[in-house]
Amino acid sequence: MANISKKVSWSGRGDDRGERTPLLNGAEDGKYNRHVLHFVFQSLDYDNSENQLFLEEERRMSHMGFRCLETRRWVICGLIGFLTGLIACLIDIAVEKLAGYKYSAVKQNIEKFTEFGGLSISLILWAVLNSAFVMVGAIAVAFFEPIAAGSGIPQIKCYLNGVKIPRVVRLKTLAIKVFGVICSVAGGLAVGKEGPMIHSGAVVAAGVSQGRSTSLKKDFKIFEYFRRDTEKRDFVSAGAAAGVSAAFGAPVGGVLFSLEEGASFWNQMLTWRIFFASMISTFTLNFFLSIYHGKPGELSSPGLINFGRFDGDYNLYEIPLFIIMGALGGVLGALFNVINYWLTIFRIRYIHRPCLQVMEAMLVAAVTATVSFAMIYFSNDCQPLGQDNTEEYSLQLFCADGEYNSMATAFFNTPERSVRSLFHNPPGSYNPLTLGVFTLAYFVLAVWTYGLTVSAGVFIPSLLIGAAWGRLFGILLSTITSSQSIWADPGKYALIGAAAQLGGIVRMTLSLTVILVEATGSVTYGFPIMLVLITAKIVGDYFIEGLYDVHIKLQSVPFLHWEAPPTSHWLTAREVMSSPVTCFNRVEKVGRIVDVLSNTSCHSYKYRKICGLILRSQLIVLLKHKVFVERASSRLSHRKLQLKDFRDAYPRFPPIQSIHVSQDERECMMDLTEFMNPTPYTVPQETSLPRVFKLFRALGLRHLVVVDNENGVVGLVTRKDLARYHLGKDGLEELHLAQT
Amino acid sequence: MANISKKVSWSGRGDDRGERTPLLNGAEDGKYNRHVLHFVFQSLDYDNSENQLFLEEERRMSHMGFRCLETRRWVICGLIGFLTGLIACLIDIAVEKLAGYKYSAVKQNIEKFTEFGGLSISLILWAVLNSAFVMVGAIAVAFFEPIAAGSGIPQIKCYLNGVKIPRVVRLKTLAIKVFGVICSVAGGLAVGKEGPMIHSGAVVAAGVSQGRSTSLKKDFKIFEYFRRDTEKRDFVSAGAAAGVSAAFGAPVGGVLFSLEEGASFWNQMLTWRIFFASMISTFTLNFFLSIYHGKPGELSSPGLINFGRFDGDYNLYEIPLFIIMGALGGVLGALFNVINYWLTIFRIRYIHRPCLQVMEAMLVAAVTATVSFAMIYFSNDCQPLGQDNTEEYSLQLFCADGEYNSMATAFFNTPERSVRSLFHNPPGSYNPLTLGVFTLAYFVLAVWTYGLTVSAGVFIPSLLIGAAWGRLFGILLSTITSSQSIWADPGKYALIGAAAQLGGIVRMTLSLTVILVEATGSVTYGFPIMLVLITAKIVGDYFIEGLYDVHIKLQSVPFLHWEAPPTSHWLTAREVMSSPVTCFNRVEKVGRIVDVLSNTSCHSYKYRKICGLILRSQLIVLLKHKVFVERASSRLSHRKLQLKDFRDAYPRFPPIQSIHVSQDERECMMDLTEFMNPTPYTVPQETSLPRVFKLFRALGLRHLVVVDNENGVVGLVTRKDLARYHLGKDGLEELHLAQT
């Protein structure tokens, strides 16, 4: 029959039932297979479902209507920037205060016991304080919201890539994240507060743009137009950028971060909005911090990190040295990632119970304090207290009066301040041996710390390690060469070392260059920083991927890279696609739809022609509202469904089990015509994988229908089908799909 | 018949016959219609034609092969950066030298005649020198390569947008451009050398990446793989970025410029390469300039423009003032564009003969000299010569000894130096009246100059106008308010004014912010500059588009914006597409192909199913190589055609007239199977315009086939079909297509 038109439906498995998050605890049954992709991760739909309802709404809207929408988008971006800035401010002040109390208490204690002996009591005090802070943070994370663990950058990277990760942008996640990061930084772990800021920004964006909180069951009835994946993802990009901007005082860096990690389709207006959010965020943070610091209105200080300004100069002769440092950073970064990779696998296998996770975090906190204490205790590197001393908690310990222990400046301090000291303290502030030992100790601590069940970032520890060995490099250089004048400034090498180490670990280049340039306020060093980052990336990539990619892979997320593997031209859509596809008639029996969605019956009919695409979530909304046509009469008794009904259910669509359909209703029919997308993107079966990939990635699709010569549906390409293929050591490799 | 498969061919009209360039001289017959799109502009094909030959080559290539290609891409980008830097260096030094000679001669003359009277002789000397320089430049442009006129940014913007503009990236264009810009800057016109730098970078990229020069008939037999639109366009992006980078010392700004103007699909590796080219370009320029200035190895000075560093600070209270300045910049910028718009229409109508164009350019040069002279002569604003005086050609004129004429610093100088003086000279260096008169005079001159048949940019004149009124604003402010301390620095307002004026004229935001931040080396001013640019854009867009867009529209280029007009959802592919489409059989008679390509017979058969897409250029190569199958035998007598044959013919495919096909050959058949792209992107007829637009723009397509339910070809969407619809004052408007 020629005039029976058919329709494709895709029943996503596992996306609305029991949203267990496998992130960071991939396999809780003790078994862990590294080469799988999890079915729990769904794609975000960056392509609008252009069904009749949607088109009618768009066509009704006037030119002014679109203007209003655009204005609203700007307002939302402003709000995102403002709130992200506020949160950054809150984190900063809370960490400062708590760390201040802690260090003051420990310092007093140490000073008391330095004279009388019995410094072990100080050590215990320090270790207990650290562990207590970390315990509170780890409990919050491990028991209440495991997704809040870590820096959050891998998760946001996945989200921007188009992977829907359960619970990643919820309000609860935000609360636990903020609370957790304050605890872990105050607890003296080798962590930074920057990664979590980025995650926080993303959550703020996802919340504000929807005009409601599903968790709090509060709907403000605003911004309803934006309740779909397309719009939400755009706003989350802006939120992530605002987070970077607040964290590093780097608005342009923030925009580039979002683009480098997320955007596939670059839209000028969107980029401007992202930039606007970033700018507002830095501005808000600076404004409130200037009030807090008692200098209201002085806006020129940058974000959370103030690396201070580099006014120095570099010379042509130094460029080979910078490249060598870049290579060194690449090697050290790769080492970091390899160790952390094995550690993470160990953790996934053996430390997956929350209480064990909390105990590990406390152990690390105690060890960190002990190592720090031992290093300070055994080093006898005394430096004179200068006039322009920026150390807030300088320890005299066994040094003479008017001197301080230079190891303590590195350990007895928040990591941000230590980085700044390494960048800017005058030549001669550090003993080479001190720096060497510090680098080693901090490297081990940082590797161990990343991946703990605490909310914490890896940027600052990486910078600190790099700054330490970079400064060491600079000192050694000036010792070797006689011409003091040129190599005089070890701070410069600390900066380059920091860039090399961070680049070696995370492998970002463009955005990281800009972030570092903005954070240090020195455009001059842009070129060497870029050279160093590119070298670090090339060298590091030879051994292992970047840290975030390692963790994404460990979590079996179907992450799509920028392009299909170059050697994949021999694969075609026919080989890549999933089939058979579940098809419905344009007017289908309710019973069959329910059965298919409940997975009780999955056999598909052999249909000829595609006439549209409908989503599981849309079918569920239709079932819920009982949009049925009785068999006998074609009279429509039900209320006409509107886009609003779909938006209200977004994004947490009810599971099929919660919808009750009586036996009578099962015999009714459902007319899907006005709800399906009649013009889905399609490709012929012979299309090569790179071509399919390009279409899928550029348009941010969730499903791509594969058709034959007659326009008949033969298969469906989804994210997993494409993410499966990746370039291994011996050419193209294929990952398995996990069935859970 | 079910098994007759069909194929679509599209015969582009006018792309390889008589490449008349209508750019800047749109209608030479005296008639000019503003609302048309020209057929002479073809799309670049950003989508590879994945025919059998292509796939075979890709499949043959090993993993190492792709690595080599990637390495080659990096090498090319390095070369592009290096050569662009060198050219920038050449331009800079040539302009410095020539302007130096000129100003020294005029200065000596003026000094001689100031005492004895008879300054009119000095005026004549100045005017003649200016006119002579400009004449040489204008003759080169008007008679030898009209496309080299103007800043080149509109052309590059179009190229990056995917429009193939005839002759825009040829070697001859580069030579004339460089020569022209040196002449026009040395000739004292109100122009800058930055826009042409961007064009130069693009030409360098297009040349280097192809490994040959068609003009010089020299083929180096390297980089043959990159001889197609996809790769070439990527390299041209890098070249444009390198140009910006060299011009402003802004590598990140360069990358953002390329992305803001060109990229639709953001690819991380591509972006890094672009960034690399930018960095190398700045580096090369700085390196050679440091040698030229006798301080080899001092690399920290930025690009061609050195705006000097802003270390100042701003306050919260100043932000509303900045926004007001932004609005003012928007209004003045719109005024600039409106006047220039009418002037350009006047020029297109009446000044289209080359000799008239040269005469106009000379007239402007003479008037510029006269106005400058008059302003200097009649102003009696004498300022004491400071210690840190940066003016190289300070004129004493009628001032007392130890003083200089401050109007002369603004006029008797290259515009770059004037901008720097306005930014950094200490408060009190300028009299408000001087600045006011200067702003007015320079505004008129700059409006008149842009669009002349000389090679020249508009960035620097815009900055200069803005800096002048901005400084005036600052001075007035400090006069009004009593608190001298806060508003003391008029240089800050000069910077903001410059940003506002430039933003009001060109309407770039993100990239311009970064360019200005990098050029001034002050991250601090990022936020106010962004605010000002966004305000200027919003205000300016209310009146008229940006200057480049105005010129693009005047030249009837089918430019695709970022998104389809929002109110275009009621249009579908059926209404938008061009039809009928010329179709061929999979195996077609040679005679019919020749007839169709020669336009002698254009009737199309009604075919049922699409089986591929073939380009006019491919057919021509096939005809040229006589890939015919004799009717009787299916034996292939000809050499098997390879991709290399297509690459050798790229990009200047011979016209159909040059191919001779005998009467016997006309009866032969051509088998198109392995040359056509069997999997072109298709859309159903009911697809809405925004959806079609998104697909077309995101993938950089040249043709999009519209099919019916049966996969039969019903039409073809090209760039013109989409560019036709734009948002006018009263909603959606449709442009006409010019048939010439």
Side-chain angles (χ1 to χ4, degrees), chain A residues 205-217:
Chain A
V208 169
S209 66
Q210 303 298 298
R212 69 172 165 195
S213 161
T214 326
S215 311
L216 299 182
K217 306 233 179 339

Side-chain angles (χ1 to χ4, degrees), chain B residues 399-677:
Chain B
C399 293
D401 284 347
E403 292 197 328
Y404 69 99
N405 185 309
S406 85
M407 187 61 110
T409 58
F411 267 122
F412 200 66
N413 225 329
T414 56
E416 286 90 345
R417 283 170 189 276
S418 307
V419 173
R420 197 155 73 223
S421 309
L422 285 167
F423 282 176
H424 291 292
N425 278 4
S429 305
Y430 295 92
N431 179 317
L433 189 65
T434 310
L435 284 175
V437 175
F438 173 77
T439 304
L440 193 70
Y442 210 81
F443 187 90
V444 173
L445 286 176
V447 172
W448 192 8
T449 307
Y450 189 78
L452 281 183
T453 315
V454 294
S455 163
V458 77
F459 263 65
I460 298 294
S462 311
L463 286 173
L464 187 51
I465 297 166
W469 65 254
R471 195 168 175 115
L472 179 62
F473 191 95
I475 294 172
L476 295 181
L477 213 63
S478 65
T479 321
I480 294 167
T481 58
S482 51
S483 58
Q484 286 281 327
S485 60
I486 301 179
W487 325 96
D489 179 22
K492 176 165 63 179
Y493 291 95
L495 172 64
I496 297 295
Q501 183 67 49
L502 183 53
I505 292 176
V506 301
R507 311 283 163 77
M508 288 146 63
T509 56
L510 182 59
S511 55
L512 199 51
T513 307
V514 177
I515 288 173
L516 288 176
V517 165
E518 287 186 293
T520 58
S522 66
V523 178
T524 316
Y525 281 99
F527 184 66
I529 288 177
M530 185 205 66
L531 270 186
V532 158
L533 289 177
I534 287 186
T535 316
K537 183 176 164 60
I538 293 172
V539 172
D541 278 349
Y542 182 78
F543 300 104
I544 191 173
E545 292 168 284
L547 186 62
Y548 299 138
D549 295 308
V550 166
H551 278 258
I552 287 173
K553 208 170 241 181
L554 280 174
Q555 287 142 27
S556 310
V557 177
F559 191 86
L560 291 187
H561 291 276
W562 296 95
E563 283 175 341
T567 53
S568 61
H569 268 102
W570 55 270
L571 280 170
T572 64
R574 189 189 295 112
E575 288 141 326
V576 168
M577 69 190 186
S578 311
S579 67
V581 178
T582 312
C583 296
F584 292 121
N585 282 312
R586 197 189 277 274
V587 179
E588 182 63 87
K589 223 174 110 186
V590 172
R592 176 155 187 265
I593 294 178
V594 173
D595 287 347
V596 167
L597 293 191
S598 323
N599 263 343
T600 44
S601 137
C602 232
H603 67 276
S604 61
Y605 304 101
K606 180 73 190 156
Y607 283 137
R608 272 218 342 218
K609 281 209 176 48
I610 178 169
C611 70
L613 183 77
I614 196 160
L615 302 176
R616 178 190 184 86
S617 57
Q618 292 173 322
L619 289 174
I620 284 184
V621 173
L622 293 181
L623 286 174
K624 198 174 134 211
H625 288 272
K626 308 212 179 289
V627 188
F628 305 148
V629 187
E630 274 177 59
R631 271 229 155 165
S633 70
S634 63
R635 183 180 54 89
L636 295 170
S637 57
H638 59 86
R639 178 174 70 87
K640 194 166 170 355
L641 223 57
Q642 287 179 314
L643 266 191
K644 191 178 172 308
D645 300 302
F646 292 94
R647 284 184 186 142
D648 283 346
Y650 176 86
R652 303 191 200 169
F653 297 100
I656 180 73
Q657 288 76 3
S658 73
I659 291 170
H660 298 288
V661 178
S662 69
Q663 203 58 38
D664 278 0
E665 283 170 340
R666 283 183 66 92
E667 293 303 313
C668 291
M669 301 298 281
M670 249 163 83
D671 183 357
L672 307 177
T673 312
E674 57 179 335
F675 308 108
M676 69 186 191
N677 177 4

Side-chain angles (χ1 to χ4, degrees), chain A residues 46-48 50 54-55 58-59 61-63 66 74 249 252 255-256 259-261 263-269 271-272 275-276 279-280 283 287 296-300 309-317 319 507-510 513-514 517-518 521-524 526-527 530-531 534 537 562-563 566-567 569-572 609-610 677-684 686-688 690-692 694-695 697-699 707-711 727-729 731, chain B residues 46-48 50 54-55 58-59 61-63 66 74 249 252 255-256 259-261 263-269 271-272 275-276 279-280 283 287 296-300 309-317 319 507-510 513-514 517-518 521-524 526-527 530-531 534 537 562-563 566-567 569-572 609-610 677-684 686-688 690-692 694-695 697-699 707-711 727-729 731:
Chain A
Y46 201 64
D47 182 43
N48 289 322
E50 290 206 345
F54 176 85
L55 285 177
E58 296 283 314
R59 284 168 190 167
M61 230 187 296
S62 67
H63 188 192
F66 284 104
W74 281 90
V252 179
V255 175
L256 289 177
L259 293 171
E260 194 168 330
E261 298 304 341
S264 53
F265 183 70
W266 162 290
N267 180 313
Q268 203 174 25
M269 285 310 288
T271 315
W272 291 346
F275 190 41
F276 183 69
M279 278 289 186
I280 294 286
F283 180 78
F287 180 68
E298 262 193 21
L299 301 176
S300 38
R309 203 157 168 155
F310 276 83
D311 288 318
D313 207 347
Y314 66 97
N315 207 300
L316 188 63
Y317 324 123
I319 285 180
R507 311 283 163 78
M508 289 147 62
T509 56
L510 181 60
T513 308
V514 177
V517 165
E518 287 187 292
S522 65
V523 177
T524 315
F527 183 67
M530 184 206 66
L531 269 187
I534 287 187
K537 182 173 164 62
W562 296 96
E563 284 177 340
T567 53
H569 268 101
W570 54 272
L571 280 170
T572 64
K609 281 213 176 45
I610 178 167
N677 178 4
T679 53
Y681 293 112
T682 59
V683 285
E686 300 79 28
T687 316
S688 69
R691 206 171 168 81
V692 172
K694 196 178 161 198
L695 180 67
R697 183 80 167 83
L699 298 180
V707 294
D708 59 18
N709 279 338
E710 316 286 320
N711 245 346
L727 213 55
K729 291 271 174 221
Chain B
Y46 201 63
D47 182 44
N48 289 322
E50 289 205 346
F54 176 84
L55 285 177
E58 296 283 312
R59 284 169 191 165
M61 230 188 295
S62 68
H63 187 191
F66 284 105
W74 281 90
V252 180
V255 174
L256 289 176
L259 292 170
E260 194 167 332
E261 298 306 341
S264 53
F265 182 70
W266 162 289
N267 180 315
Q268 203 175 24
M269 283 312 288
T271 315
W272 291 345
F275 190 40
F276 182 69
M279 278 288 187
I280 293 286
F283 179 79
F287 179 68
E298 261 193 22
L299 303 175
S300 37
R309 203 155 166 156
F310 277 82
D311 287 317
D313 207 347
Y314 66 95
N315 207 299
L316 188 63
Y317 324 124
I319 285 179
R507 311 283 163 77
M508 288 146 63
T509 56
L510 182 59
T513 307
V514 177
V517 165
E518 287 186 293
S522 66
V523 178
T524 316
F527 184 66
M530 185 205 66
L531 270 186
I534 287 186
K537 183 176 164 60
W562 296 95
E563 283 175 341
T567 53
H569 268 102
W570 55 270
L571 280 170
T572 64
K609 281 209 176 48
I610 178 169
N677 177 4
T679 54
Y681 294 111
T682 59
V683 286
E686 301 80 28
T687 315
S688 69
R691 206 172 169 79
V692 172
K694 197 178 159 197
L695 181 67
R697 183 79 166 85
L699 299 181
V707 293
D708 58 19
N709 279 338
E710 316 285 320
N711 245 346
L727 212 56
K729 292 272 174 222

Side-chain angles (χ1 to χ4, degrees), chain A residues 316, chain B residues 93 285-298:
Chain A
L316 188 63
Chain B
I93 294 174
L285 175 68
N286 285 347
F287 179 68
F288 284 102
L289 280 188
S290 75
I291 291 176
Y292 176 71
H293 292 303
K295 290 174 270 178
E298 261 193 22

Side-chain angles (χ1 to χ4, degrees), chain B residues 17-75:
Chain B
R17 277 162 293 146
E19 282 175 336
R20 301 283 340 244
T21 162
L23 221 77
L24 284 180
N25 27 333
E28 310 207 351
D29 52 355
K31 275 176 272 162
Y32 179 76
N33 183 348
R34 260 173 291 147
H35 293 292
V36 297
L37 292 178
H38 261 288
F39 259 113
V40 74
F41 299 111
Q42 298 292 318
S43 262
L44 291 167
D45 217 337
Y46 201 63
D47 182 44
N48 289 322
S49 173
E50 289 205 346
N51 54 22
Q52 279 183 31
L53 292 183
F54 176 84
L55 285 177
E56 272 164 26
E57 188 186 86
E58 296 283 312
R59 284 169 191 165
R60 262 201 312 275
M61 230 188 295
S62 68
H63 187 191
M64 271 318 290
F66 284 105
R67 283 246 164 135
C68 280
L69 276 184
E70 193 60 26
T71 314
R72 246 174 268 167
R73 288 197 188 103
W74 281 90
V75 170

